[in-house]
Amino acid sequence: NPFAGNTPQDVTERQGENAIFIVYKLNQSPDSVEKVKDVCANFSALIRSMRNRFPDAQFSSTISFGADVWDRIFPGKGRPKELEVFKEIKGSKQIAVSTPGDILFHIRAKQMGLCYEFASIIDEKLKGAVEAIDETHGFRYMDGKAIIGFVDGTESPAVDENPYHFAVVGEEDPDFAGGSYVFVQKYIHDMDAWNALSVEEQEKVIGRRKFNDVELSDEEKPANAHNAVANIGDDLKIVRANMPFANTAKREYGTYFIGYASTFSTTRQMLESMFIGNPVGNTDRLLDFSTAITGTLFFAPSYDFLGEE
Ligand code: HEM
């Protein structure tokens, strides 16, 4: 295989029905590192067990690590070329903030109960080694829509477009072949402002039809539509698995953005196009209704790399 014989984690799966995103901070003590290494060494077995117990549940999970803890967990093994603490992107309207995070779990399954089951197994194993930074529960909404009512994920590379090519590191960084750069951002939407737009105006923000997901024609699509701004070329794609989340009583409505990429520079270029604009000033209209409250970069090593610990 093109990943020097390494098996990637489940970085090209579809969004799924339910997801739990957990971001942990790693504690300072050396035994914290030992606990994490133990989870790494057993990670594929833990997933295998879930799939064995619930064969029809479309269960998957990834584990990934931030730049601040990489050398503690994998000492002497070098570092993926583009793994760094995410540097914030300051646009004229909004900042793509950088927020802390050492370990990310992205857990997907048909039933939320199975996501919880796996999360609780992991959390038990990591007791004392980590502190919670964030946990977000995402759900599939209608026909795969973001909470703002538009189908999300359509142009994300799938089976026929070789998603591994876009999501997984290859020969360009041989020591880390089979790994993937994972970028997450938690967005909160201003639904009052969004709902005040007509459907036609909303369609111009996204660049697609609300009812049936059909793309607007080049004539209809404004230059600052989200899918115009985020499309930076056919060779520069990432695999997205965003999920809506909500707390209706608190009037909190959001999108948990997650993108897996073979090079982080691709994801970063998309973010710069959205927040700064290309040309400068052509910022993403979607950002007028969406605020990024987190932004963290992780690296999901191959199963082989995880197992070596
Ligand atoms: C396309 C939603 C953030 C990259 C889309 C589409 C929707 C959407 C509805 C059109 C359907 C599709 O092709 O998936 C959102 C929401 C976001 C968000 C609600 C959070 C506020 C981002 C971010 C990035 C991104 C942060 C990149 C870092 C893309 C790309 C496309 C896309 C590459 C496909 C463009 C094309 O047609 O080629 N997004 N998105 N999105 N989005 Fe986002």
Side-chain angles (χ1 to χ4, degrees):
N1 78 16
F3 316 120
N6 296 309
T7 308
Q9 295 189 50
D10 295 319
V11 298
T12 63
E13 299 287 315
R14 288 259 143 196
Q15 295 94 319
E17 299 282 327
N18 288 284
I20 298 183
F21 302 90
I22 298 177
V23 176
Y24 283 120
K25 177 183 167 38
L26 179 63
N27 291 340
Q28 280 307 321
S29 65
D31 66 311
S32 303
V33 172
E34 286 315 309
K35 283 184 185 171
V36 172
K37 281 187 171 178
D38 193 53
V39 167
C40 288
N42 286 302
F43 199 64
S44 63
L46 291 169
I47 291 175
R48 206 178 320 121
S49 166
M50 288 298 289
R51 289 192 177 142
N52 193 30
R53 292 169 68 196
F54 310 102
D56 302 320
Q58 292 166 13
F59 180 84
S60 76
S61 178
T62 64
I63 182 172
S64 52
F65 305 93
D68 276 344
V69 292
W70 183 269
D71 298 331
R72 282 180 65 202
I73 300 172
F74 307 110
K77 303 199 93 182
R79 173 187 282 246
K81 273 183 190 162
E82 293 187 293
L83 181 61
E84 57 178 20
V85 174
F86 174 62
K87 293 191 204 82
E88 69 170 31
I89 298 172
K90 223 183 211 128
S92 52
K93 284 193 201 154
Q94 209 192 106
I95 296 174
V97 291
S98 171
T99 58
D102 294 335
I103 306 173
L104 168 75
F105 289 95
H106 177 197
I107 308 169
R108 292 176 261 197
K110 261 194 186 166
Q111 289 115 315
M112 184 51 94
L114 300 186
C115 296
Y116 163 74
E117 172 77 350
F118 192 72
S120 69
I121 289 170
I122 296 284
D123 192 64
E124 181 64 30
K125 288 189 180 293
L126 292 179
K127 205 183 267 175
V130 292
E131 307 294 335
I133 291 181
D134 183 62
E135 173 166 332
T136 302
H137 293 200
F139 56 87
R140 182 173 171 86
Y141 177 44
M142 310 296 286
D143 47 339
K145 285 178 157 69
I147 209 88
I148 54 172
F150 283 76
V151 174
D152 191 1
T154 304
E155 289 295 330
S156 183
V159 254
D160 56 325
E161 289 167 302
N162 192 1
Y164 287 100
H165 169 70
F166 294 110
V168 181
V169 174
E171 286 153 2
E172 68 279 9
D173 195 3
D175 291 348
F176 299 98
S180 184
Y181 293 90
V182 194
F183 183 69
V184 295
Q185 268 181 324
K186 201 169 164 174
Y187 282 93
I188 301 294
H189 299 296
D190 180 347
M191 290 303 275
D192 290 336
W194 179 250
N195 289 328
L197 299 183
S198 67
V199 168
E200 290 72 23
E201 287 171 310
Q202 291 180 350
E203 290 177 340
K204 288 195 159 71
V205 176
I206 299 297
R208 305 186 80 96
R209 294 276 174 232
K210 193 172 188 180
F211 181 66
N212 64 6
D213 189 36
V214 170
E215 192 175 1
L216 299 191
S217 67
D218 290 349
E219 296 77 53
E220 292 168 303
K221 194 193 289 183
N224 65 357
H226 175 58
N227 71 343
V229 168
N231 183 342
I232 56 167
D234 287 347
D235 298 333
L236 297 173
K237 294 189 181 188
I238 63 174
V239 171
R240 293 173 285 130
N242 303 355
M243 289 295 257
F245 63 91
N247 187 324
T248 16
K250 285 188 186 164
R251 304 236 159 99
E252 183 184 86
Y253 309 94
T255 297
Y256 202 96
F257 172 87
I258 182 161
Y260 290 95
S262 55
T263 60
F264 177 62
S265 57
T266 304
T267 314
R268 187 164 179 100
Q269 208 176 311
M270 288 176 179
L271 291 166
E272 285 172 353
S273 182
M274 291 173 64
F275 283 79
I276 295 171
N278 178 21
V280 173
N282 183 46
T283 52
D284 193 327
R285 180 88 167 101
L286 181 55
L287 294 178
D288 294 343
F289 309 92
S290 321
T291 305
I293 59 167
T294 72
T296 320
L297 175 63
F298 300 90
F299 188 79
S302 70
Y303 280 124
D304 307 79
F305 190 97
L306 284 177
E308 280 168 24
E309 288 311 298

